[in-house]
Amino acid sequence: MLIIKNKKIKKILSWVLVAAFLFLVGYLKSPQNSVQKVETPTATQNNLRVIFLDVGQGDASLVITPEGQTILVDGGPDDKILSQLGKFLPLSQKKIDVVILTHPHADHLDGLVEVLRRYEVGEVYYSGFLHTTGSFLEWFKMINDKNIQLVIVKEKKEIKIGEVGLEFLYPNHDFSGLSLKEAPKNNLNNTSVVFRLNYKQTQFLFVGDAEIPVEQELVGGQVDLSATVLKVGHHGSNSSTSEDFLKLVSPQYAIISVGAGNDFGHPHLRTLRRLERHGIKFLRTDEDGNIEIISDGEKVKIKNPQSKAR
């Protein structure tokens, strides 16, 4: 740990941090940072591919649309994301069309810094919430330096990427420029972007690390949460995936992104039991590795021959 004793240096660093935050707040509040439609090519194929990547104790998912566009949801805790992307994207591919950061905890964010270094990114979507970590400030600076379109999710809205819909369900109000002490329940998890990926008759629900208070708000708001596949919240923690929430989602499959032998006890036994009681088949990245699900628009199937839904 670096300990700074010089009072003058401390003062300079404090002013740098304040200036950085003022810049971020001003940028996030600007009118152009709203949810917009994404332009897409017209060529079409048949299937949607959704790959839940094994990035250890973290979260990252890659979506490849029928038209071949790419959506990356979170980036895991480190540069492992690059080798995992290399298994599904050709070496010649240098662009990711859309990146969605559900919330700026390190196990979702830090790998995205490496992604921004390696790939050309078309657009970034996130809640606008501020964080104080070096990786967050570096990530934000890279977005600005590379002139990447930053879109703040602050209302319920759906955008289209070819035949695929991105239906943003939460946040339903503006978090732009807020910091941790202003987070719901003082918990950054509850600033997570929640969205549903819609392809014809199939849906994939992503909830980041959103916990029960957010689930209750969505349930009470009579939001359509039904989905074919649920990306389980907060790595299977008992703080998410409540009974009422599961009843409304009623997925065929649930996917848990979690690291083997993690220190948090994820996934929690109570969460697994709830999934079992609801008759939901689940897979987990610590045991199944990368989990690829294919949708033809009417039904989904698990591609990985080594993966076995429990």
Side-chain angles (χ1 to χ4, degrees):
M1 178 182 292
L2 176 63
I3 301 175
I4 299 174
K5 296 181 178 181
N6 188 297
K7 292 182 179 180
K8 185 176 181 180
I9 294 177
K10 282 185 177 181
K11 187 174 182 180
I12 292 171
L13 289 177
S14 298
W15 277 110
V16 168
L17 185 60
V18 169
F21 267 76
L22 288 174
F23 169 78
L24 296 184
V25 171
Y27 184 90
L28 295 175
K29 289 292 186 180
S30 61
Q32 69 269 25
N33 295 316
S34 57
V35 178
Q36 299 175 8
K37 184 177 179 179
V38 177
E39 296 298 327
T40 59
T42 56
T44 182
Q45 299 173 3
N46 295 320
N47 294 329
L48 171 73
R49 301 170 63 195
V50 181
I51 305 113
F52 302 93
L53 300 170
D54 177 15
V55 290
Q57 183 58 24
D59 227 307
S61 303
L62 174 66
V63 177
I64 303 175
T65 74
E67 295 85 2
Q69 289 186 299
T70 49
I71 304 166
L72 180 61
V73 186
D74 292 330
D78 51 39
D79 63 0
K80 185 177 181 180
I81 182 66
L82 298 178
S83 61
Q84 297 294 49
L85 288 175
K87 296 176 182 179
F88 299 96
L89 299 177
L91 292 176
S92 60
Q93 181 158 340
K94 302 301 181 185
K95 181 177 181 179
I96 293 176
D97 296 287
V98 174
V99 166
I100 300 172
L101 173 63
T102 58
H103 67 296
H105 272 151
D107 58 333
H108 295 247
L109 166 70
D110 285 11
L112 292 181
V113 176
E114 303 303 322
V115 169
L116 289 185
R117 285 198 182 101
R118 187 68 59 89
Y119 290 89
E120 175 190 347
V121 173
E123 292 186 307
V124 172
Y125 289 74
Y126 99 115
S127 70
F129 223 85
L130 297 177
H131 204 22
T132 57
T133 63
S135 56
F136 174 80
L137 294 175
E138 183 178 6
W139 173 78
F140 201 99
K141 182 177 184 299
M142 291 176 71
I143 290 173
N144 184 60
D145 290 347
K146 293 191 171 191
N147 199 29
I148 299 170
Q149 177 68 32
L150 182 63
V151 184
I152 303 304
V153 179
K154 56 185 178 182
E155 60 185 345
K156 186 178 183 298
K157 190 167 185 176
E158 183 172 12
I159 65 169
K160 297 294 288 187
I161 303 179
E163 293 184 86
V164 172
L166 283 177
E167 184 182 6
F168 292 100
L169 305 173
Y170 185 89
N172 51 18
H173 47 280
D174 194 357
F175 281 153
S176 298
L178 301 184
S179 57
L180 180 58
K181 65 181 181 179
E182 299 163 295
K185 305 291 184 181
N186 293 317
N187 190 336
L188 202 59
N189 290 336
N190 290 326
T191 70
S192 292
V193 172
V194 177
F195 71 96
R196 194 166 63 165
L197 184 76
N198 301 320
Y199 179 51
K200 298 181 180 179
Q201 304 304 311
T202 61
Q203 308 86 26
F204 295 74
L205 183 63
F206 292 81
V207 298
D209 280 357
E211 299 186 347
I212 291 174
V214 174
E215 294 179 356
Q216 291 174 335
E217 183 173 340
L218 291 169
V219 170
Q222 299 180 332
V223 176
D224 183 5
L225 298 170
S226 59
T228 317
V229 178
L230 169 66
K231 178 66 173 58
V232 173
H234 201 190
H235 318 285
S237 167
N238 191 43
S239 63
S240 305
T241 322
S242 59
E243 290 281 354
D244 289 343
F245 183 74
L246 274 182
K247 287 177 185 176
L248 286 184
V249 180
S250 188
Q252 179 181 350
Y253 292 106
I255 309 298
I256 303 171
S257 182
V258 64
N262 68 84
D263 296 331
F264 306 99
H266 296 158
H268 198 285
L269 183 60
R270 290 181 181 177
T271 301
L272 300 181
R273 293 291 178 263
R274 279 197 291 272
L275 294 172
E276 290 172 350
R277 284 198 302 273
H278 285 264
I280 301 166
K281 298 177 182 178
F282 64 88
L283 299 98
R284 39 193 290 184
T285 57
D286 61 334
E287 296 181 356
D288 298 300
N290 294 322
I291 301 163
E292 181 171 357
I293 298 184
I294 306 293
S295 169
D296 63 5
E298 295 183 2
K299 58 184 182 300
V300 300
K301 66 178 181 180
I302 301 168
K303 183 176 179 180
N304 313 51
Q306 74 275 19
S307 296
K308 180 180 289 186
R310 296 148 185 83

